[in-house]
Amino acid sequence: MHKHPHPHQTGGPLRVLAWESTRACTLACPHCRAAAVDCRDPDELTTEEVFSMLEGAAKIGPALIILSGGEPLLRQDLEQIAARAIELGHRPVVSCNDGRLLTEQRIRSLAGAGIRHFSFSMHSSDRAAHDEFVRVPGTYDEALQAFSRIRENGLSFQINTTILPTNADRLPELKDWVISLKASSWHLFFIVPTGRASSNSDEIRLSQGQIDKVLRYVAAESDDWGIPVKVTCAPQYSRIRMELGKDPGSRGRSCMAGSGFAFVSYRGEVKPCGYFDLIVGNIREKPLDQIYLQSQELADMRTPAKFSGVCQKCRFNVVCGGCRARAYAVNGSFLAEDPNCDFTSGQEQK
């Protein structure tokens, strides 16, 4: 029988696995984590290699499997992969962005394989602004038509919105729009400067003050919006909710990178999350479960006592933990403090 190391070292069971099915994408968003390209790479994981990845994940899961990209709908074996994931006890979902590819036929095909949920990235309720951001005219209308097809087939979808200088002050309007689309949930993402996002700072970068203002607004108001809201890559949100006397909204540390969450690239590289340039192994060389359980980098990342700067001293580091990917991207160390948080009062004795 396989013996697991102590839970403190393993980060607990794998709850979410994001798989970058391909780097190829039909859009060209300036904040793209993957720095996506317009054609598929011959070195992408094969169907059988993906099956092995899912089998490894099952040994430390089962998990929510995010079939992501690039644009995952460009892979024709997505149905086989989804079906295998379900056989192993996982729950696969499709994180796509191009409504043109989510035709009635493809929706029914994916539903037949067991897919019940999709996510789409939409960053503005304004047609022209959204299309300009993704660099492809007509994308907004195509997405809304895809939403209708998803609903008509009895399936659900969530909206993912990256908080940008252009929408940070328009969240009430955006919230009403997302609800009008009948989305099942709304996920708000905060930029980590990696991939294409590392070189498009003027268009996508928020100030610390803007970030804090958005987080405090969402923390104070979102419980009354009538739609589940989740914040990603701003783990201090959990601390802000606690300060307001609210449920922090997460199980364990808010930054799940390497601790309940893992990312596998289109070439099999394993990373703590999709916003990391740090590779801790490759499933072509070692099974995913062994990498997850044995990586020293992941073990260090799971240990708040090893953090430095504000994050080491902060009394909320076991609830928040800071964004490890942003610390790595900006400070060169995944144990450094999160540069998006300046919560100096948290350095009181824990």
Side-chain angles (χ1 to χ4, degrees):
M1 180 181 292
H2 183 76
K3 292 185 179 180
H4 286 203
H6 190 277
H8 180 68
Q9 295 299 311
T10 67
L14 181 67
R15 289 157 47 195
V16 183
L17 173 64
W19 170 51
E20 180 187 43
S21 60
T22 178
R23 259 185 80 201
C25 190
T26 48
L27 308 182
C29 307
H31 69 311
C32 181
R33 165 206 59 75
V37 294
D38 58 5
C39 58
R40 291 183 59 185
D41 192 305
D43 198 31
E44 288 175 3
L45 293 179
T46 65
T47 307
E48 290 300 323
E49 287 175 323
V50 178
F51 286 176
S52 295
M53 174 189 75
L54 295 173
E55 289 158 8
K59 294 178 181 178
I60 47 176
L64 172 70
I65 308 293
I66 303 174
L67 304 175
S68 184
E71 177 51 75
L73 296 173
L74 293 172
R75 284 194 66 133
Q76 298 309 308
D77 59 355
L78 216 55
E79 286 82 351
Q80 291 174 264
I81 290 165
R84 180 59 180 144
I86 291 170
E87 286 176 358
L88 291 165
H90 300 302
R91 183 164 68 93
V93 298
V94 176
S95 179
C96 52
N97 296 298
D98 193 341
R100 296 171 298 180
L101 301 180
L102 200 57
T103 61
E104 180 73 19
Q105 180 180 4
R106 194 72 196 273
I107 290 174
R108 291 185 178 183
S109 175
L110 287 165
I115 293 294
R116 295 289 176 266
H117 187 69
F118 298 83
S119 70
F120 268 78
S121 294
M122 302 291 291
H123 311 295
S124 175
S125 58
D126 179 79
R127 174 183 291 103
H130 178 79
D131 287 357
E132 179 181 359
F133 186 75
V134 302
R135 305 331 196 225
V136 179
T139 302
Y140 178 97
D141 287 336
E142 292 287 355
L144 266 58
Q145 292 173 33
F147 299 158
S148 294
R149 292 191 291 271
I150 291 170
R151 292 195 306 266
E152 288 164 2
N153 280 276
L155 309 177
S156 62
F157 66 94
Q158 75 186 43
I159 298 295
N160 296 337
T161 299
T162 297
I163 304 302
L164 304 160
T166 53
N167 63 24
D169 293 326
R170 304 179 70 175
L171 290 187
E173 170 193 328
L174 265 173
K175 175 259 298 181
D176 291 342
W177 176 70
V178 170
I179 291 173
S180 76
L181 295 173
K182 296 182 171 60
S184 64
S185 60
W186 189 24
H187 289 210
L188 307 179
F189 286 73
F190 287 78
I191 292 290
V192 175
T194 188
R196 201 176 288 149
S198 62
S199 59
N200 288 290
S201 59
D202 291 343
E203 186 174 6
I204 64 177
R205 199 71 55 81
L206 295 172
S207 69
Q208 175 57 48
Q210 287 174 306
I211 293 168
D212 195 63
K213 181 181 177 181
V214 169
L215 292 176
R216 291 189 175 279
Y217 168 71
V218 175
E221 304 291 336
S222 61
D223 288 355
D224 299 322
W225 288 350
I227 184 173
V229 176
K230 185 174 186 293
V231 170
T232 297
C233 295
Q236 65 267 38
Y237 178 69
S238 294
R239 180 259 302 170
I240 291 171
R241 283 188 62 89
M242 289 184 69
E243 289 179 307
L244 295 174
K246 297 175 179 285
D247 187 314
S250 62
R251 291 182 290 166
R253 215 165 71 232
S254 186
C255 178
M256 290 176 61
S259 185
F261 188 105
F263 172 91
V264 177
S265 80
Y266 71 101
R267 292 185 296 197
E269 300 154 334
V270 180
K271 303 179 182 181
C273 83
Y275 298 100
F276 260 99
D277 285 332
L278 177 71
I279 298 170
V280 299
N282 192 303
I283 66 164
R284 284 174 164 160
E285 300 166 2
K286 191 175 184 179
L288 175 62
D289 53 305
Q290 292 183 27
I291 296 171
Y292 184 79
L293 294 171
Q294 298 170 8
S295 164
Q296 185 59 53
E297 293 97 337
L298 296 186
D300 290 346
M301 204 173 298
R302 296 164 184 152
T303 311
K306 294 191 175 184
F307 297 167
S308 62
V310 171
C311 287
Q312 181 190 55
K313 302 172 183 177
C314 182
R315 68 180 184 274
F316 291 103
N317 66 9
V318 295
V319 175
C320 165
C323 176
R324 297 298 100 214
R326 189 178 292 108
Y328 186 75
V330 176
N331 296 320
S333 168
F334 58 79
L335 297 175
E337 64 186 47
D338 181 346
N340 266 18
C341 182
D342 58 358
F343 184 58
T344 53
S345 61
Q347 297 180 44
E348 301 164 8
Q349 184 69 34
K350 290 178 284 188

